[in-house]
Amino acid sequence: MSLPTISLQLHQGKDKPKSAPNDHLVGHVILELKAPVDISQISVTLSGRSISRLDGTRHSQSHQFFQTTHQVFPQSAELDVRSSKSRTMGPKQYAFLFSLPDSESYQIHVDQHSGKKSLTEWSDFKIHESQSLRGRLPPSTGDPSSNAEIVYSLDASVTIGGIFKHVMKKSRQIFFYPTTSAHQPSQSIIHQREITFRQMEKDKKSTPAYGVAIELGRGGHLALGQRVPIKVHVTQADPTSQDVLILNDYQVMLIEKTVTRVGAQSQVQQLFRTLRTLSNLNLGICLAEMPVNNAMTLSDDSWGPLSLPTDITPTFETCNINRTYKLEVRLGFKGGPKKTQTRILEVQFPINIAAN
């Protein structure tokens, strides 16, 4: 018997699909027959699994957190008492359409042989022995060499023959980025600091001269490719200070934190990525004519708009991998009588990153 050739095609050649809530993954199972073949059933399965690893060891742990299967042939409308029998198909190419719904939530069943006891000890995830972890589908990471890997696979299964059946399978990995529903911007996050300068070089004491508030809009909920809304508000806290404050340095860094767990062991990795660094801005902030405690606002027009890179993996959490982000903003100010005194302000904002 000449066996068919199986291939999987996604619509519009989407090797890296993004999925919004209630979207479907659409494609075809392609059968190339060179001779008549009896086909009993064709089905496709989309599944996802997480793999956590620990540096310096061979320890790893894998969990399947998502699986959905759809019968392509025969279709549900064709099912009857004869559906268990095979259908003979002549030699040519056949294309069977499939459409798999993406789930907004998934359920992870704890494997008793792969760390059920250790899962109950992860207090930060609040997992109890009688429960399964539920949450949003995590995005693909696409990096098999990393400590945290999320893999989605699309599998086609073709059952051939009548009484003596033979099952052929074809599998391919897909890159999956679930997106979030649009929502109204949340309240801004604001960190407030004070800057002091000595009024004279020989002075040993400093008094509060300026108040600085660094604001991150949208409540820290950011999307890939989206503008990062940062504002700086400066107030004159000391009415006797009539000098000009200078914003000289501006830096924004993204801090990625990944917690991976294998059994009872856990490991933390941090990656730092500079998004914008500017020096010698020499941006003068004159508050002499403003009432005390009235703020002057500097938007990102002063240092150029900044967008979140699109090659970042969005925030996610599974039963053994947790990835979070912080945005670090560093500002360098110059002040004092001769503008020789430098003050550095550094704040960190917890942020949630989603695919857009």
Side-chain angles (χ1 to χ4, degrees):
M1 179 178 61
S2 177
L3 297 178
T5 301
I6 307 172
S7 61
L8 285 167
Q9 293 182 358
L10 298 180
H11 272 194
Q12 300 174 357
K14 291 182 178 179
D15 289 329
K16 294 188 176 183
K18 290 184 179 180
S19 171
N22 303 317
D23 272 1
H24 285 65
L25 184 65
V26 181
H28 284 93
V29 178
I30 307 296
L31 292 185
E32 188 78 37
L33 304 184
K34 296 182 180 180
V37 176
D38 295 335
I39 305 295
S40 299
Q41 181 177 291
I42 302 173
S43 62
V44 290
T45 300
L46 176 64
S47 60
R49 64 190 177 103
S50 63
I51 306 169
S52 58
R53 306 177 179 92
L54 298 181
D55 271 344
T57 72
R58 296 182 178 180
H59 297 159
S60 65
Q61 193 167 13
S62 177
H63 290 272
Q64 180 174 293
F65 55 79
F66 171 71
Q67 180 172 296
T68 181
T69 300
H70 176 65
Q71 183 167 302
V72 178
F73 174 84
Q75 296 182 357
S76 57
E78 301 174 349
L79 294 177
D80 54 25
V81 293
R82 299 168 298 173
S83 61
S84 60
K85 297 182 179 180
S86 61
R87 311 284 180 89
T88 301
M89 297 182 181
K92 67 175 185 178
Q93 185 183 85
Y94 296 84
F96 296 91
L97 178 68
F98 65 83
S99 178
L100 290 170
D102 301 330
S103 174
E104 279 214 54
S105 64
Y106 60 91
Q107 187 167 3
I108 300 174
H109 300 284
V110 178
D111 186 349
Q112 295 183 6
H113 301 289
S114 64
K116 179 177 181 179
K117 181 179 179 181
S118 65
L119 281 171
T120 64
E121 298 170 356
W122 297 352
S123 58
D124 52 335
F125 286 116
K126 299 180 181 179
I127 301 177
H128 302 286
E129 189 169 342
S130 60
Q131 293 180 336
S132 295
L133 180 65
R134 296 186 64 85
R136 298 188 63 85
L137 287 175
S140 298
T141 58
D143 186 358
S145 64
S146 68
N147 284 11
E149 185 181 4
I150 305 296
V151 180
Y152 287 90
S153 298
L154 183 64
D155 300 278
S157 177
V158 179
T159 304
I160 301 171
I163 298 177
F164 302 101
K165 292 181 172 58
H166 173 72
V167 178
M168 294 184 63
K169 294 185 177 181
K170 181 69 175 182
S171 178
R172 63 174 292 180
Q173 289 189 8
I174 65 169
F175 206 82
F176 183 70
Y177 260 25
T179 61
T180 57
S181 302
H183 61 276
Q184 294 297 322
S186 303
Q187 187 175 1
S188 298
I189 305 175
I190 299 176
H191 288 294
Q192 296 184 348
R193 300 288 188 271
E194 288 185 341
I195 299 178
T196 61
F197 294 100
R198 296 188 300 273
Q199 297 304 309
M200 297 181 64
E201 292 294 334
K202 295 182 180 180
D203 287 349
K204 294 183 178 181
K205 293 183 179 181
S206 301
T207 57
Y210 303 99
V212 178
I214 305 174
E215 176 184 356
L216 178 65
R218 304 191 192 101
H221 293 275
L222 306 177
L224 299 179
Q226 187 180 58
R227 188 167 179 168
V228 181
I230 297 175
K231 293 181 180 179
V232 178
H233 310 279
V234 183
T235 58
Q236 182 175 276
D238 183 359
T240 63
S241 176
Q242 302 293 318
D243 208 353
V244 175
L245 181 67
I246 294 177
L247 176 60
N248 197 61
D249 305 294
Y250 173 86
Q251 183 181 71
V252 180
M253 294 187 67
L254 185 67
I255 304 173
E256 175 188 294
K257 179 182 177 181
T258 304
V259 180
T260 54
R261 294 173 170 82
V262 176
Q265 295 180 292
S266 64
Q267 193 170 75
V268 179
Q269 280 190 328
Q270 287 197 119
L271 296 177
F272 297 84
R273 179 170 180 168
T274 301
L275 302 182
R276 177 70 56 82
T277 296
L278 296 172
S279 300
N280 301 317
L281 280 173
N282 200 33
L283 181 61
I285 306 171
C286 183
L287 302 173
E289 298 180 358
M290 296 188 65
V292 176
N293 295 325
N294 276 29
M296 176 178 287
T297 299
L298 306 175
S299 68
D300 55 8
D301 294 333
S302 303
W303 46 78
L306 172 66
S307 296
L308 203 61
T310 58
D311 59 347
I312 297 170
T313 301
T315 304
F316 70 90
E317 177 180 324
T318 70
C319 62
N320 56 350
I321 304 173
N322 182 21
R323 177 162 296 171
T324 56
Y325 292 93
K326 288 183 179 180
L327 200 69
E328 181 178 279
V329 181
R330 293 170 56 95
L331 303 178
F333 292 94
K334 286 189 175 182
K338 298 181 180 180
K339 305 298 182 293
T340 57
Q341 301 175 44
T342 301
R343 301 291 181 266
I344 303 295
L345 296 186
E346 179 182 304
V347 299
Q348 292 184 351
F349 298 93
I351 62 174
N352 180 76
I353 298 177
N356 196 2

